[in-house]
Amino acid sequence: MEDKLHQPLILLLFLVFFSSYQLPSSAYTLPDKYFINCGSNINLNIASRTYVGDMNSGLVSFTKQQSFATDNNQASKTPSALYRTARIFRQMSSYVLEIDSIGSYLVRLHFFSPMNISTAVFDVSASGFLLLHNFTVQNSNNTAVIKEFILSIPIGRFSINFVPQRSSFAFVNAIEVFPAPPDFIIDESSNGNKGILSQALHTIHRINVGGPTLSPENDTLLRTWLPDDGYLYDAHTAKNRQVLAAQLNYLAPVNKFIAPAPVYMTAKEMIIDTSRQSNNFNVTWSYDVTRNARHLVRVHFCDIVSSSLSNFQFLLYIDCCLSQKINPYQRTGRWATPFYFDFVVDSDDSGLMNISIGPDSSSSVQTPFLNGVEIMEMVGVPGFVTVKSKQKSVFVIVGLVLGGLVLVCVFGGLLCNRSKCRKSKSVETPEWSPLTAYKGSTHSNRKMPQQSKLGREDTINTSPVRDLNLGLKIPFFEIQLATSNFDTKLLIGKGGFGDVYRGTLRTGIKVAVKRSKPGSGQGLPEFQTEIMVLSRIRHLHLVSLIGYCDEMSEMILAYEFMGKGTLREHLYNSELPSLLWKQRLEICIGAARGLNYLHKGASGGIIHRDVKSTNILLDENLLAKVADFGLSRLGPLDQSHVSTVVKGTFGYLDPEYFSTQQLTEKSDVYSFGVVLLEVLCARAVVDPTLPKDQVNLAEWGMLCKKKGLLEQILDPSIKPQINPNSLRKFSDIAEKCLQEDAVDRPTMSDVAWELEYALQLQQTAVAQEPHEDSMSIISAMLLLPVVPSFPSMTAQFRGDDTSIIREDDSDSAPSAGEVFSLLRIDDTR
């Protein structure tokens, strides 16, 4: 009974509270005010609007001002009669307009500068925002400059303030201020950013993609739309598409005021040549934007490219930070139905913003398209308002707000009381999140399920990588910029996977770019594995993956740049200076820590599977980082894993793994033991030119160790530096790592600890007895350096064994600039 009494009251409060709100945009008509012809007493009718002359209108609050009119000779050169007069301000002045309804407003300022006023420098502010700063107007091409802003304006007096700089002046030819349709700008973007309406939006670009210029006469809100051809990076990647007589199906919240019909009836469509897969790169537009600023990017879509209604999808990219799946059918359910997305995107220091569309391999019909683009800078710099609203208007606003809050509280309280009598229901996850991004491979031979970044699983037959970190996706266009389109002067190495280039991203980050041979299809499993592993782990001694590119037949990995190359380059067969013994110890300790993190720090453990001196890289400070995870796999640490194919590099391969095909973390320990001998002896792990018993370094080194002849095969450059105790400890560690039975080998944690002690012995001033055991020297243990604990990300890495076995000529040294090693195994293993 009580519930029935509440229903009429709730309905009444609901109607009272919302009675003052505007009707939907379908009832919106373009208002008659304010359209101002500045510096004139003549009314002009342009684009079905009447621009009222401001002379003697009482709209201008000024101290010193004057009007300007062109002479008869100049009048013929102006693009419109609207620009034949202007209002000039010698001191700060304001236009003051009465606003009778709260909401979003379009504010347009028109400037046309003849020679005698082209020296003006001034600021413009409104609603507490500095809209233009040190603004100057140059009309060298005889066109007007129109600055458009979208502002939230309260009821009362609204002032637009013009402030000349120093001894200069300000001017304006025309002003437009009128309310936008309801919901023209939504407070929350499609990628989850809120508070948009609290900012001033400055329109920088408004593009009719695939179509001609649209003048204000062709637009419902008197906007100008420019064609996109001048912004397209490669004209050969796309073609124009147009429908002449399509009946557009507008569905809320999209209507004819969001964008005029001609925008949605033209589009750029990606050209897909099935006979030339390597040329099917994303379609990319590059726009000039404000540096290091936040922008609202509105992208318009309308499926006019499909011959019939079909369920397909493609991918949209905005710079390197945003990737979004576009599915027209899922979005609208109809053909020729407009829709749009708003994204908040931060620009970088380059002053460019790239917008791309590309195919998604999960879609059987790959026809990416784009109809329109609007880019608006979010102006957040506080300005000043010199003319305050009347006190009466302030009280009216406060009263309305307080009254609304009271109604909301009453209405909300009743609903809460009502909800207690009902069973709670589950709340659905919002459709859009800060980065609702999906990325599928474009290689036709990829058949692995994919999981999105947000954790929702999708069964996609041709997507490349599960659990992929999509924030690492870099468009091919960005890679071209970073490497000067793969300039051979930036080539620093070659390997089985492909070429390696030095590059610099627009963010200033230096990278090593590893590019597969386009169209070869080789190295695909390694490419996928490396992304899966490195996108989930972070450690001081592991090379970081900056990003990857996977457009059509391109497979590109971008790593942090390691300026000193590989460890092997500093040991032998190069002209680089020889490393000191202390430096070698520090490098080995760093590599051991990195491998230990792989084995123990990541969830489930990761086996590197290809530990060697060319996969240990050095930065400018000789800090060691383990690299190249193409052969890695998630390994069960407490039980062996049977592999169908042995993978690795001959000379470093664990003999037990080779004979039994049982892979464990101890296989990495054996390989690292070989690296320790390399560091000690500075020679190749396999050298066929030597006598038979010396060809294999691991076998030869252990034989010399047992005979007490290890010092005879040491690198001569470090012999005078090595403390005998440090040498003994180091050789003991190597011997333990190279035990035939995996169970007899130490863990990488033990190896790292023992190496730290070897370093301590090298640095200590007090010589210990050669046969003292490190485990019994308590004082030395106290002197050991503290091993820092590095933050990590949980790795959930799964994947079947890859089927590619690669070969490595272990006796041949890489080029001096090579950073990434060959990942191969000898056929004669």
Side-chain angles (χ1 to χ4, degrees):
M1 183 67 181
E2 181 182 359
D3 188 55
K4 292 182 178 179
L5 291 175
H6 281 160
Q7 289 180 350
L9 180 57
I10 293 172
L11 179 61
L12 176 62
L13 289 171
F14 184 84
L15 293 174
V16 170
F17 181 69
F18 288 101
S19 62
S20 61
Y21 276 69
Q22 299 181 19
L23 294 174
S25 57
S26 59
Y28 173 86
T29 57
L30 189 65
D32 294 328
K33 62 178 186 181
Y34 290 95
F35 296 88
I36 305 170
N37 181 20
C38 301
S40 175
N41 58 2
I42 299 174
N43 296 345
L44 295 176
N45 190 277
I46 299 175
S48 302
R49 293 291 101 191
T50 299
Y51 288 79
V52 178
D54 68 345
M55 304 220 18
N56 304 318
S57 64
L59 295 174
V60 191
S61 172
F62 61 89
T63 52
K64 290 184 179 180
Q65 60 86 36
Q66 67 186 73
S67 60
F68 167 85
T70 59
D71 57 33
N72 292 333
N73 293 330
Q74 292 178 324
S76 60
K77 299 179 181 180
T78 58
S80 168
L82 192 62
Y83 305 128
R84 293 176 184 173
T85 62
R87 178 74 64 175
I88 297 177
F89 309 100
R90 299 293 177 180
Q91 295 183 13
M92 187 181 71
S93 304
S94 303
Y95 277 83
V96 182
L97 311 177
E98 290 290 340
I99 301 298
D100 54 13
S101 62
I102 191 172
S104 296
Y105 280 72
L106 278 82
V107 177
R108 294 195 188 106
L109 308 175
H110 296 247
F111 305 97
F112 182 80
S113 174
M115 292 299 295
N116 51 350
I117 61 172
S118 61
T119 58
V121 182
F122 55 97
D123 293 349
V124 180
S125 67
S127 288
F129 293 101
L130 183 60
L131 303 181
L132 299 173
H133 180 55
N134 287 339
F135 180 64
T136 60
V137 182
Q138 300 294 330
N139 299 108
S140 57
N141 57 355
N142 201 42
T143 58
V145 175
I146 302 175
K147 293 294 183 179
E148 179 187 278
F149 303 89
I150 302 175
L151 303 171
S152 295
I153 304 177
I155 297 173
R157 287 190 172 185
F158 169 67
S159 63
I160 306 173
N161 314 298
F162 295 84
V163 183
Q165 291 297 305
R166 300 184 181 90
S167 59
S168 187
F169 58 93
F171 76 96
V172 63
N173 296 82
I175 297 176
E176 301 173 31
V177 179
F178 60 91
D183 299 326
F184 183 69
I185 297 292
I186 306 300
D187 192 56
E188 182 175 358
S189 69
S190 299
N191 57 331
N193 288 270
K194 299 180 180 180
I196 297 175
L197 293 176
S198 65
Q199 302 291 315
L201 301 178
H202 176 201
T203 303
I204 300 175
H205 297 286
R206 182 172 282 126
I207 308 297
N208 181 23
V209 179
T213 299
L214 297 179
S215 63
E217 291 83 357
N218 304 117
D219 183 88
T220 48
L221 295 178
L222 306 179
R223 295 164 293 191
T224 298
W225 298 73
L226 299 178
D228 68 303
D229 294 325
Y231 303 95
L232 192 61
Y233 176 71
D234 186 352
H236 298 92
T237 58
K239 60 184 178 182
N240 290 343
R241 175 61 73 95
Q242 180 179 6
V243 290
L244 299 178
Q247 181 64 42
L248 298 181
N249 303 303
Y250 283 108
L251 294 177
V254 186
N255 52 64
K256 63 180 181 179
F257 301 109
I258 296 296
V263 171
Y264 293 121
M265 294 172 68
T266 59
K268 268 286 193 304
E269 177 186 6
M270 180 176 176
I271 297 175
I272 296 182
D273 185 356
T274 56
S275 65
R276 301 179 65 186
Q277 286 291 323
S278 61
N279 288 340
N280 292 331
F281 299 123
N282 291 346
V283 184
T284 299
W285 295 263
S286 186
Y287 298 100
D288 295 327
V289 295
T290 305
R291 297 174 185 268
N292 301 313
R294 179 155 288 188
H295 294 78
L296 179 67
V297 181
R298 175 168 288 185
V299 282
H300 298 267
F301 298 95
C302 182
D303 183 10
I304 60 171
V305 303
S306 302
S307 57
S308 60
L309 184 64
S310 58
N311 187 10
F312 74 98
Q313 61 197 23
F314 56 93
L315 294 165
L316 168 76
Y317 308 99
I318 302 179
D319 273 345
C320 300
C321 58
L322 191 144
S323 174
Q324 175 67 52
K325 180 184 291 185
I326 307 297
N327 189 322
Y329 176 84
Q330 193 177 66
R331 183 72 175 174
T332 65
R334 297 183 184 180
W335 186 78
T337 303
F339 61 98
Y340 70 90
F341 296 103
D342 284 344
F343 298 106
V344 173
V345 181
D346 292 324
S347 62
D348 57 26
D349 192 50
S350 68
L352 293 175
M353 180 177 293
N354 297 320
I355 298 177
S356 304
I357 54 173
D360 180 26
S361 63
S362 62
S363 176
S364 58
V365 182
Q366 300 180 2
T367 52
F369 64 88
L370 182 64
N371 299 76
V373 172
E374 295 177 85
I375 301 177
M376 293 163 272
E377 179 189 355
M378 301 176 71
V379 181
V381 180
F384 46 84
V385 180
T386 57
V387 181
K388 297 183 179 180
S389 302
K390 292 182 179 179
Q391 191 174 16
K392 179 179 179 181
S393 298
V394 173
F395 285 128
V396 170
I397 296 172
V398 173
L400 289 174
V401 172
L402 291 177
L405 289 174
V406 171
L407 288 174
V408 168
C409 292
V410 175
F411 182 58
L414 290 172
L415 286 179
C416 291
N417 185 47
R418 179 184 177 90
S419 64
K420 291 179 180 179
C421 302
R422 297 188 175 189
K423 184 179 180 180
S424 60
K425 297 182 178 180
S426 61
V427 179
E428 294 183 359
T429 304
E431 181 181 0
W432 299 110
S433 58
L435 182 58
T436 310
Y438 302 82
K439 175 67 183 79
S441 169
T442 52
H443 291 275
S444 59
N445 61 338
R446 304 186 182 187
K447 297 181 180 180
M448 297 171 65
Q450 174 182 340
Q451 182 175 340
S452 73
K453 182 180 179 182
L454 299 178
R456 296 180 294 178
E457 294 186 358
D458 298 315
T459 302
I460 301 176
N461 293 330
T462 56
S463 94
V465 182
R466 290 177 293 189
D467 307 324
L468 190 59
N469 187 338
L470 298 164
L472 297 175
K473 179 71 174 65
I474 301 178
F476 183 70
F477 174 78
E478 295 285 346
I479 299 293
Q480 288 178 304
L481 287 178
T483 60
S484 299
N485 200 20
F486 302 101
D487 190 341
T488 55
K489 295 179 181 178
L490 300 176
L491 185 65
I492 58 175
K494 293 178 179 288
F497 182 84
D499 296 336
V500 183
Y501 297 84
R502 183 177 68 254
T504 304
L505 298 175
R506 289 192 296 155
T507 57
I509 298 175
K510 293 182 178 181
V511 291
V513 175
K514 186 161 64 171
R515 184 192 191 192
S516 71
K517 297 178 178 65
S520 68
Q522 296 181 356
L524 174 58
E526 290 81 1
F527 176 73
Q528 297 171 341
T529 299
E530 192 127 8
I531 296 172
M532 285 192 291
V533 173
L534 285 181
S535 63
R536 287 165 177 77
I537 57 177
R538 289 291 184 272
H539 193 275
L540 179 64
H541 295 290
L542 299 178
V543 169
S544 297
L545 180 67
I546 304 300
Y548 73 96
C549 177
D550 186 21
E551 291 184 19
M552 303 313 293
S553 61
E554 289 287 349
M555 294 186 295
I556 299 173
L557 297 168
Y559 306 84
E560 62 175 315
F561 183 71
M562 303 293 287
K564 294 297 185 181
T566 71
L567 171 59
R568 185 165 74 171
E569 290 172 342
H570 291 266
L571 294 176
Y572 54 92
N573 292 342
S574 76
E575 297 179 356
L576 297 175
S578 177
L579 294 170
L580 301 176
W581 175 241
K582 179 176 177 293
Q583 292 174 325
R584 300 186 192 199
L585 283 171
E586 290 171 341
I587 290 169
C588 292
I589 291 170
R593 288 175 178 174
L595 290 172
N596 180 56
Y597 171 75
L598 284 180
H599 292 170
K600 303 295 186 181
S603 177
I606 294 174
I607 301 174
H608 187 281
R609 215 176 183 184
D610 198 22
V611 177
K612 53 186 176 182
S613 59
T614 50
N615 284 341
I616 297 174
L617 308 185
L618 307 176
D619 70 4
E620 293 293 340
N621 300 314
L622 295 180
L623 180 73
K625 300 196 179 194
V626 179
D628 215 329
F629 300 85
L631 296 184
S632 301
R633 65 163 296 117
L634 182 69
L637 301 183
D638 298 325
Q639 53 183 314
S640 62
H641 170 74
V642 178
S643 173
T644 57
V645 180
V646 175
K647 301 175 185 179
T649 301
F650 189 66
Y652 296 90
L653 271 177
D654 171 14
E656 183 176 85
Y657 169 42
F658 183 78
S659 60
T660 65
Q661 298 185 7
Q662 292 181 337
L663 178 67
T664 69
E665 65 170 17
K666 296 299 182 68
S667 298
D668 283 349
V669 175
Y670 181 91
S671 300
F672 190 72
V674 179
V675 172
L676 295 181
L677 286 183
E678 261 189 293
V679 168
L680 198 62
C681 304
R683 56 149 284 189
V685 296
V686 176
D687 189 348
T689 64
L690 296 175
K692 184 177 180 180
D693 59 345
Q694 300 179 23
V695 170
N696 187 292
L697 176 60
E699 296 175 359
W700 175 240
M702 290 301 95
L703 179 62
C704 291
K705 174 77 165 53
K706 292 176 181 178
K707 293 181 177 181
L709 303 175
L710 188 61
E711 290 188 10
Q712 298 182 12
I713 64 173
L714 292 185
D715 180 3
S717 67
I718 60 171
K719 276 187 177 182
Q721 307 169 19
I722 300 182
N723 180 299
N725 296 315
S726 178
L727 174 60
R728 176 189 172 274
K729 174 53 61 181
F730 188 89
S731 62
D732 285 347
I733 302 166
E735 184 179 29
K736 292 176 183 178
C737 291
L738 295 172
Q739 293 298 306
E740 291 187 5
D741 295 331
V743 293
D744 296 330
R745 300 171 198 156
T747 65
M748 285 309 305
S749 176
D750 294 333
V751 173
W753 195 97
E754 296 282 353
L755 287 171
E756 288 163 359
Y757 183 69
L759 176 61
Q760 193 68 36
L761 290 175
Q762 178 66 24
Q763 294 175 327
T764 183
V766 180
Q768 304 292 336
E769 289 298 323
H771 297 288
E772 288 184 2
D773 194 326
S774 62
M775 299 298 292
S776 64
I777 306 177
I778 304 301
S779 60
M781 291 174 60
L782 296 175
L783 293 174
L784 285 176
V786 178
V787 181
S789 177
F790 301 104
S792 64
M793 298 173 64
T794 300
Q796 294 180 345
F797 165 42
R798 300 176 179 87
D800 295 330
D801 281 34
T802 57
S803 59
I804 296 178
I805 303 178
R806 293 173 289 183
E807 301 176 351
D808 188 8
D809 298 325
S810 301
D811 58 335
S812 61
S815 59
E818 182 179 358
V819 175
F820 295 96
S821 64
L822 306 176
L823 297 175
R824 297 188 273 180
I825 179 171
D826 199 296
D827 287 336
T828 60
R829 64 187 186 279

